[in-house]
């Protein structure tokens, strides 16, 4: 459905009348907030890698088989820094928080950029299902432990010649180095193997605790007027958010399903009478609400 005022009014009413709100957030939400992986932002931080390897977006560069760990971490340290430790260019997450902060809410997200916590969402009401750019873990893995990487990521970035301003923004040298010093390559303190990013890998105790909190939230709100608010979720991993939201809405006659997405806002026929589908930029939609 299009982003009509009637649909926006229905969503506003569903939010106001909800006993609880379950937010399901995908990559589209961060894209709307300005975390885009192509174009000017990619060129600003990765033009040297693009020229050398002929890829044209951050996502592709993350899969490139670099010959050394020093070059691998030169790329990934920039990637992690700008997508985890810098604030999003647009206050979309802050706007979302203003809409739900007085509601009984929980957030399920496949995003790994920490935007929810940086915007002020209660960390005990968040479940990052696919990990966190701000964590390393053993590549083996020899254990389920994770390690904060903020300091080492900053050291890797500055070792390439970048300057970090007090507000966190980066200033690039004329010719950034495309490798980090060997001594900065992270290794597991237990087995000595290289560390890797905490993405879709073995999870730590915090992950399982968040999963339990999410399950308890759903269980204790069963049968209530729940708004399942899906934001920017595509079909890369629909089994995490989209399909469960459809199923839970279908199973609760008091629930409402809302799908906000640019170019792909839809709901199955079984729940169409209790669905609000709005096609458009999430920043614009949330501002209208």
């Amino acid at each position: 459905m299009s982003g009509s005022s009637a649909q926006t009014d229905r969503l506003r009413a569903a939010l106001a009348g909800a006993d609880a709100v379950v937010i399901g957030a995908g990559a589209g939400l961060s894209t709307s907030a300005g975390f885009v992986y192509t174009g000017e932002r990619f060129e600003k931080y990765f033009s040297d890698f693009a020229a050398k390897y002929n890829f044209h977006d951050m996502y592709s560069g993350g899969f490139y088989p670099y010959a050394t760990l020093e070059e691998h971490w030169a790329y990934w340290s920039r990637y992690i820094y700008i997508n985890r430790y810098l604030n999003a260019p647009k206050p979309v997450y802050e706007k979302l928080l203003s809409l739900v902060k007085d509601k009984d809410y929980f957030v399920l997200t496949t995003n790994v950029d920490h935007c929810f916590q940086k915007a002020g969402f209660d960390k005990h009401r968040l479940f990052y299902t696919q990990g966190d750019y701000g964590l390393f873990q053993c590549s083996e893995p020899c254990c389920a432990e994770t390690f904060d990487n903020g300091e080492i990521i900053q050291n890797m970035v500055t070792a390439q010649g970048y300057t970090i301003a007090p507000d966190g923004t980066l200033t690039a040298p004329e010719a950034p180095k495309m490798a980090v010093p060997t001594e900065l390559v992270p290794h597991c303190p237990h087995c000595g193997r290289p560390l890797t990013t905490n993405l879709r890998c073995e999870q730590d105790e915090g992950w399982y605790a968040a999963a339990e909190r999410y399950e308890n939230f759903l269980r204790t709100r069963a049968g209530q007027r729940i708004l399942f608010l899906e934001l920017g979720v595509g079909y890369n991993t629909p089994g995490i958010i989209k399909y469960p939201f459809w199923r839970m809405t279908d199973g609760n006659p008091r629930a409402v399903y809302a799908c906000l997405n640019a170019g792909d806002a839809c709901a199955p026929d079984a729940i169409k009478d209790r669905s609000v589908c709005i096609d458009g930029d999430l920043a614009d939609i949330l501002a209208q609400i």
Side-chain angles (χ1 to χ4, degrees), residues 3 15 35 70-71 92 98 101 122 174 192 209 226 242 270 275 288:
L15 180 61
F35 273 176
E70 288 80 0
E71 191 173 20
V92 174
S98 72
K101 62 184 177 66
D122 182 351
E174 184 174 338
I226 300 176
K242 186 178 291 290
S275 296
Q288 292 171 23

Side-chain angles (χ1 to χ4, degrees), residues 6-67:
Q7 291 296 303
T8 304
D9 290 343
R10 287 188 63 207
L11 178 55
R12 188 181 299 111
L15 180 61
D19 298 317
V21 180
V22 182
I23 298 169
L29 184 61
S30 286
T31 298
S32 180
F35 273 176
V36 294
Y37 284 14
T38 58
E40 181 180 350
R41 193 163 178 265
F42 171 73
E43 290 295 328
K44 179 178 181 180
Y45 297 107
F46 299 102
S47 58
D48 49 352
F49 280 91
K52 182 174 181 179
Y53 294 113
N54 198 36
F55 51 73
H56 304 289
D57 64 88
M58 296 183 211
Y59 192 72
S60 298
F63 286 99
Y64 193 87
Y66 300 103

Side-chain angles (χ1 to χ4, degrees), residues 16-222:
D19 298 317
V21 180
V22 182
I23 298 169
L29 184 61
S30 286
T31 298
S32 180
F35 273 176
V36 294
Y37 284 14
T38 58
E40 181 180 350
R41 193 163 178 265
F42 171 73
E43 290 295 328
K44 179 178 181 180
Y45 297 107
F46 299 102
S47 58
D48 49 352
F49 280 91
K52 182 174 181 179
Y53 294 113
N54 198 36
F55 51 73
H56 304 289
D57 64 88
M58 296 183 211
Y59 192 72
S60 298
F63 286 99
Y64 193 87
Y66 300 103
T68 67
L69 286 173
E70 288 80 0
E71 191 173 20
H72 170 91
W73 283 114
Y75 182 87
W76 269 99
S77 61
R78 297 186 206 175
Y79 187 116
I80 291 171
Y81 186 82
I82 67 171
N83 292 307
R84 169 61 170 76
Y85 293 105
L86 289 184
N87 291 327
K90 302 176 185 178
V92 174
Y93 282 85
E94 289 79 2
K95 182 61 180 177
L96 177 61
L97 178 60
S98 72
L99 296 175
V100 301
K101 62 184 177 66
D102 296 324
K103 306 293 290 188
D104 183 22
Y105 74 84
F106 203 99
V107 176
L108 174 69
T109 182
T110 53
N111 296 341
V112 294
D113 50 28
H114 211 61
C115 282
F116 280 102
Q117 279 189 247
K118 287 190 288 185
F121 282 80
D122 182 351
K123 67 179 182 180
H124 295 105
R125 292 175 176 264
L126 299 173
F127 181 19
Y128 288 88
T129 63
Q130 298 197 107
D132 183 348
Y133 278 148
L135 299 174
F136 286 155
Q137 66 182 55
C138 181
S139 58
E140 177 63 17
C142 71
C143 61
E145 187 176 355
T146 55
F147 311 94
D148 291 335
N149 64 21
E151 182 178 356
I152 192 170
I153 288 296
Q154 291 190 41
N155 290 341
M156 289 182 186
V157 168
T158 56
Q160 295 174 67
Y162 283 86
T163 301
I164 300 178
D167 65 355
T169 57
L170 294 180
T171 300
E174 184 174 338
K177 297 177 182 178
M178 296 177 64
V180 301
T182 300
E183 60 267 23
L184 289 183
V185 173
H187 291 84
C188 177
H190 302 299
C191 71
R193 291 180 174 84
L195 292 176
T196 188
T197 49
N198 175 236
L199 304 176
R200 301 185 184 180
C201 299
E202 180 71 24
Q203 304 300 344
D204 62 5
E205 291 181 0
W207 187 95
Y208 289 104
E212 183 176 1
R213 288 194 295 269
Y214 176 60
E215 292 172 359
N216 286 340
F217 185 92
L218 295 175
R219 177 178 52 79
T220 55
R221 277 76 173 175

Side-chain angles (χ1 to χ4, degrees), residues 203-269:
Q203 304 300 344
D204 62 5
E205 291 181 0
W207 187 95
Y208 289 104
E212 183 176 1
R213 288 194 295 269
Y214 176 60
E215 292 172 359
N216 286 340
F217 185 92
L218 295 175
R219 177 178 52 79
T220 55
R221 277 76 173 175
Q224 292 185 6
R225 295 175 297 177
I226 300 176
L227 172 61
F228 291 98
L229 180 58
E230 181 189 300
L231 305 169
V233 176
Y235 287 90
N236 187 15
T237 53
I240 296 176
I241 297 173
K242 186 178 291 290
Y243 294 164
F245 275 23
W246 290 356
R247 176 181 53 78
M248 289 187 289
T249 301
D250 188 38
N252 179 358
R254 304 181 74 195
V256 174
Y257 168 71
C259 178
L260 281 56
N261 208 336
D264 193 8
C266 64
D269 287 343

